[in-house]
CSV table of all heavy atoms in Angstrom, one decimal:
chain,number,residue,atom,x,y,z
A,26,VAL,N,0.9,-1.2,0.0
A,26,VAL,CA,0.0,0.0,0.0
A,26,VAL,C,0.9,1.2,0.0
A,26,VAL,O,1.8,1.4,0.9
A,26,VAL,CB,-0.9,0.0,1.2
A,26,VAL,CG1,-1.9,1.2,1.2
A,26,VAL,CG2,-1.7,-1.3,1.3
A,27,LEU,N,0.6,2.1,-1.0
A,27,LEU,CA,1.4,3.4,-1.1
A,27,LEU,C,0.5,4.6,-0.9
A,27,LEU,O,-0.7,4.6,-1.2
A,27,LEU,CB,2.1,3.4,-2.5
A,27,LEU,CG,3.1,2.4,-2.8
A,27,LEU,CD1,3.3,2.3,-4.3
A,27,LEU,CD2,4.5,2.8,-2.2
A,28,LYS,N,1.1,5.6,-0.4
A,28,LYS,CA,0.4,6.9,-0.2
A,28,LYS,C,1.5,8.0,-0.3
A,28,LYS,O,2.5,8.0,0.3
A,28,LYS,CB,-0.3,7.0,1.1
A,28,LYS,CG,-1.0,8.3,1.3
A,28,LYS,CD,-1.5,8.5,2.8
A,28,LYS,CE,-2.1,9.8,3.0
A,28,LYS,NZ,-1.8,10.4,4.3
A,29,ASP,N,1.2,9.0,-1.2
A,29,ASP,CA,2.1,10.1,-1.4
A,29,ASP,C,3.6,9.7,-1.6
A,29,ASP,O,4.5,10.3,-1.0
A,29,ASP,CB,2.0,11.1,-0.2
A,29,ASP,CG,0.7,11.7,0.0
A,29,ASP,OD1,-0.1,11.8,-1.0
A,29,ASP,OD2,0.3,12.0,1.2
A,30,GLY,N,3.8,8.6,-2.4
A,30,GLY,CA,5.1,8.2,-2.7
A,30,GLY,C,5.8,7.4,-1.6
A,30,GLY,O,6.9,6.9,-1.7
A,31,LEU,N,5.1,7.2,-0.5
A,31,LEU,CA,5.7,6.5,0.7
A,31,LEU,C,5.0,5.1,0.9
A,31,LEU,O,3.8,5.0,0.8
A,31,LEU,CB,5.6,7.3,2.0
A,31,LEU,CG,6.4,8.6,2.0
A,31,LEU,CD1,5.9,9.5,3.1
A,31,LEU,CD2,7.9,8.3,2.2
A,32,LEU,N,5.8,4.1,1.1
A,32,LEU,CA,5.3,2.8,1.4
A,32,LEU,C,4.6,2.8,2.8
A,32,LEU,O,5.3,3.2,3.8
A,32,LEU,CB,6.4,1.8,1.4
A,32,LEU,CG,6.0,0.3,1.5
A,32,LEU,CD1,7.0,-0.5,0.7
A,32,LEU,CD2,6.0,-0.2,2.9
A,33,GLN,N,3.4,2.4,2.9
A,33,GLN,CA,2.7,2.4,4.2
A,33,GLN,C,2.7,1.0,4.9
A,33,GLN,O,2.9,0.9,6.1
A,33,GLN,CB,1.2,2.7,4.0
A,33,GLN,CG,1.0,4.1,3.3
A,33,GLN,CD,1.4,5.3,4.2
A,33,GLN,OE1,1.0,5.3,5.3
A,33,GLN,NE2,2.2,6.1,3.6
A,34,GLN,N,2.5,0.0,4.1
A,34,GLN,CA,2.5,-1.4,4.7
A,34,GLN,C,2.6,-2.4,3.5
A,34,GLN,O,2.0,-2.2,2.5
A,34,GLN,CB,1.3,-1.6,5.5
A,34,GLN,CG,1.3,-2.9,6.3
A,34,GLN,CD,0.0,-3.0,7.2
A,34,GLN,OE1,-0.8,-2.1,7.3
A,34,GLN,NE2,-0.1,-4.1,8.0
A,35,VAL,N,3.3,-3.5,3.8
A,35,VAL,CA,3.3,-4.7,2.9
A,35,VAL,C,2.9,-5.9,3.6
A,35,VAL,O,3.5,-6.2,4.7
A,35,VAL,CB,4.7,-4.9,2.3
A,35,VAL,CG1,4.7,-6.0,1.2
A,35,VAL,CG2,5.3,-3.7,1.7
A,36,ASP,N,1.9,-6.6,3.1
A,36,ASP,CA,1.5,-7.8,3.9
A,36,ASP,C,0.6,-8.6,2.9
A,36,ASP,O,0.3,-8.2,1.8
A,36,ASP,CB,0.7,-7.4,5.1
A,36,ASP,CG,0.8,-8.5,6.2
A,36,ASP,OD1,1.0,-9.7,5.9
A,36,ASP,OD2,0.6,-8.1,7.4
A,37,THR,N,0.2,-9.8,3.4
A,37,THR,CA,-0.8,-10.6,2.7
A,37,THR,C,-2.1,-9.8,2.7
A,37,THR,O,-2.3,-8.9,3.6
A,37,THR,CB,-1.0,-11.9,3.4
A,37,THR,OG1,-1.5,-11.7,4.7
A,37,THR,CG2,0.2,-12.8,3.4
A,38,PRO,N,-3.1,-10.1,1.8
A,38,PRO,CA,-4.4,-9.4,1.9
A,38,PRO,C,-5.0,-9.4,3.2
A,38,PRO,O,-5.5,-8.4,3.8
A,38,PRO,CB,-5.2,-10.0,0.8
A,38,PRO,CG,-4.2,-10.5,-0.2
A,38,PRO,CD,-3.0,-10.9,0.6
A,39,LEU,N,-5.1,-10.6,3.8
A,39,LEU,CA,-5.7,-10.8,5.1
A,39,LEU,C,-4.9,-10.1,6.2
A,39,LEU,O,-5.5,-9.6,7.2
A,39,LEU,CB,-5.9,-12.2,5.5
A,39,LEU,CG,-7.2,-12.8,4.9
A,39,LEU,CD1,-7.3,-14.3,5.3
A,39,LEU,CD2,-8.5,-12.1,5.2
A,40,GLY,N,-3.6,-10.1,6.1
A,40,GLY,CA,-2.8,-9.4,7.1
A,40,GLY,C,-3.1,-7.9,7.1
A,40,GLY,O,-3.2,-7.3,8.2
A,41,LEU,N,-3.3,-7.3,5.9
A,41,LEU,CA,-3.6,-5.9,5.8
A,41,LEU,C,-5.0,-5.6,6.4
A,41,LEU,O,-5.3,-4.6,7.1
A,41,LEU,CB,-3.6,-5.4,4.4
A,41,LEU,CG,-2.3,-5.3,3.6
A,41,LEU,CD1,-2.5,-4.9,2.2
A,41,LEU,CD2,-1.4,-4.3,4.3
A,42,TYR,N,-5.9,-6.6,6.1
A,42,TYR,CA,-7.3,-6.4,6.6
A,42,TYR,C,-7.4,-6.5,8.1
A,42,TYR,O,-8.1,-5.7,8.8
A,42,TYR,CB,-8.2,-7.5,5.9
A,42,TYR,CG,-9.7,-7.3,6.1
A,42,TYR,CD1,-10.4,-6.5,5.2
A,42,TYR,CD2,-10.4,-8.0,7.1
A,42,TYR,CE1,-11.7,-6.3,5.3
A,42,TYR,CE2,-11.7,-7.8,7.2
A,42,TYR,CZ,-12.4,-7.0,6.3
A,42,TYR,OH,-13.8,-6.8,6.5
A,43,ASP,N,-6.7,-7.5,8.7
A,43,ASP,CA,-6.8,-7.8,10.1
A,43,ASP,C,-5.9,-6.9,11.0
A,43,ASP,O,-6.1,-6.7,12.1
A,43,ASP,CB,-6.5,-9.2,10.4
A,43,ASP,CG,-7.5,-10.2,9.8
A,43,ASP,OD1,-8.7,-9.7,9.7
A,43,ASP,OD2,-7.2,-11.3,9.6
A,44,HIS,N,-4.7,-6.5,10.4
A,44,HIS,CA,-3.7,-5.7,11.2
A,44,HIS,C,-3.2,-4.5,10.4
A,44,HIS,O,-2.0,-4.3,10.2
A,44,HIS,CB,-2.5,-6.6,11.5
A,44,HIS,CG,-2.9,-7.9,12.1
A,44,HIS,ND1,-3.3,-8.0,13.4
A,44,HIS,CD2,-2.9,-9.2,11.7
A,44,HIS,CE1,-3.5,-9.2,13.8
A,44,HIS,NE2,-3.3,-10.0,12.7
A,45,PRO,N,-4.1,-3.5,10.1
A,45,PRO,CA,-3.6,-2.3,9.4
A,45,PRO,C,-2.6,-1.6,10.3
A,45,PRO,O,-2.9,-1.4,11.5
A,45,PRO,CB,-4.9,-1.5,9.1
A,45,PRO,CG,-5.9,-2.1,10.0
A,45,PRO,CD,-5.6,-3.5,10.3
A,46,ALA,N,-1.5,-1.1,9.7
A,46,ALA,CA,-0.5,-0.5,10.5
A,46,ALA,C,-0.8,0.9,10.9
A,46,ALA,O,-0.2,1.5,11.8
A,46,ALA,CB,0.8,-0.5,9.7
A,47,ASN,N,-1.7,1.6,10.1
A,47,ASN,CA,-2.0,3.0,10.4
A,47,ASN,C,-3.4,3.3,9.9
A,47,ASN,O,-4.1,2.5,9.3
A,47,ASN,CB,-1.0,3.9,9.8
A,47,ASN,CG,-0.8,3.7,8.3
A,47,ASN,OD1,-1.8,3.5,7.6
A,47,ASN,ND2,0.4,3.8,7.9
A,48,LEU,N,-3.9,4.5,10.2
A,48,LEU,CA,-5.2,5.0,9.8
A,48,LEU,C,-5.5,4.9,8.3
A,48,LEU,O,-6.5,4.6,7.9
A,48,LEU,CB,-5.4,6.4,10.3
A,48,LEU,CG,-6.0,6.6,11.7
A,48,LEU,CD1,-6.0,8.0,12.1
A,48,LEU,CD2,-7.4,6.0,11.8
A,49,PHE,N,-4.4,5.3,7.6
A,49,PHE,CA,-4.6,5.3,6.1
A,49,PHE,C,-4.9,3.9,5.6
A,49,PHE,O,-5.9,3.7,4.8
A,49,PHE,CB,-3.4,5.8,5.4
A,49,PHE,CG,-3.6,5.8,3.9
A,49,PHE,CD1,-4.4,6.7,3.2
A,49,PHE,CD2,-2.9,4.8,3.2
A,49,PHE,CE1,-4.6,6.6,1.9
A,49,PHE,CE2,-3.1,4.7,1.8
A,49,PHE,CZ,-3.9,5.6,1.1
A,50,VAL,N,-4.1,2.9,6.0
A,50,VAL,CA,-4.3,1.5,5.5
A,50,VAL,C,-5.7,1.0,6.0
A,50,VAL,O,-6.5,0.4,5.3
A,50,VAL,CB,-3.2,0.6,6.0
A,50,VAL,CG1,-3.5,-0.8,5.5
A,50,VAL,CG2,-1.9,1.1,5.4
A,51,ALA,N,-6.0,1.3,7.3
A,51,ALA,CA,-7.3,0.9,7.8
A,51,ALA,C,-8.5,1.4,7.0
A,51,ALA,O,-9.4,0.7,6.7
A,51,ALA,CB,-7.4,1.4,9.3
A,52,GLY,N,-8.4,2.7,6.6
A,52,GLY,CA,-9.5,3.2,5.8
A,52,GLY,C,-9.5,2.9,4.4
A,52,GLY,O,-10.6,2.9,3.7
A,53,PHE,N,-8.4,2.4,3.9
A,53,PHE,CA,-8.3,2.2,2.4
A,53,PHE,C,-8.6,0.7,2.1
A,53,PHE,O,-9.2,0.4,1.0
A,53,PHE,CB,-6.8,2.5,1.9
A,53,PHE,CG,-6.7,2.5,0.4
A,53,PHE,CD1,-7.2,3.5,-0.3
A,53,PHE,CD2,-6.1,1.4,-0.2
A,53,PHE,CE1,-7.1,3.5,-1.7
A,53,PHE,CE2,-6.0,1.3,-1.6
A,53,PHE,CZ,-6.5,2.4,-2.3
A,54,ILE,N,-8.2,-0.2,3.0
A,54,ILE,CA,-8.4,-1.6,2.6
A,54,ILE,C,-9.7,-2.1,3.3
A,54,ILE,O,-10.0,-2.0,4.5
A,54,ILE,CB,-7.2,-2.5,3.2
A,54,ILE,CG1,-5.9,-2.1,2.5
A,54,ILE,CG2,-7.5,-4.0,3.1
A,54,ILE,CD1,-5.8,-2.5,1.0
A,55,GLY,N,-10.6,-2.7,2.4
A,55,GLY,CA,-11.9,-3.2,2.9
A,55,GLY,C,-13.0,-2.5,2.2
A,55,GLY,O,-12.9,-1.3,1.9
A,56,SER,N,-14.0,-3.3,1.8
A,56,SER,CA,-15.2,-2.7,1.2
A,56,SER,C,-16.4,-3.4,1.7
A,56,SER,O,-16.6,-4.6,1.5
A,56,SER,CB,-15.1,-2.9,-0.4
A,56,SER,OG,-16.2,-2.4,-1.0
A,57,PRO,N,-17.4,-2.6,2.3
A,57,PRO,CA,-17.3,-1.2,2.7
A,57,PRO,C,-16.1,-1.0,3.6
A,57,PRO,O,-15.6,-1.9,4.3
A,57,PRO,CB,-18.6,-0.9,3.5
A,57,PRO,CG,-19.5,-2.1,3.2
A,57,PRO,CD,-18.6,-3.2,2.9
């Protein structure tokens, strides 16, 4: 996951979904 040219987090899809590292990843990954 990238934002403004900076890497935010790298993980498996479920890793990102279950353990977002910050607010940006938390709000970006998942639908709704």
Side-chain angles (χ1 to χ4, degrees):
V26 183
L27 292 161
K28 178 192 178 218
D29 299 334
L31 292 166
L32 187 148
Q33 302 293 310
Q34 189 175 359
V35 186
D36 207 335
T37 61
L39 277 180
L41 291 176
Y42 192 84
D43 291 337
H44 304 288
N47 57 39
L48 270 173
F49 175 76
V50 177
F53 190 78
I54 296 292
S56 179

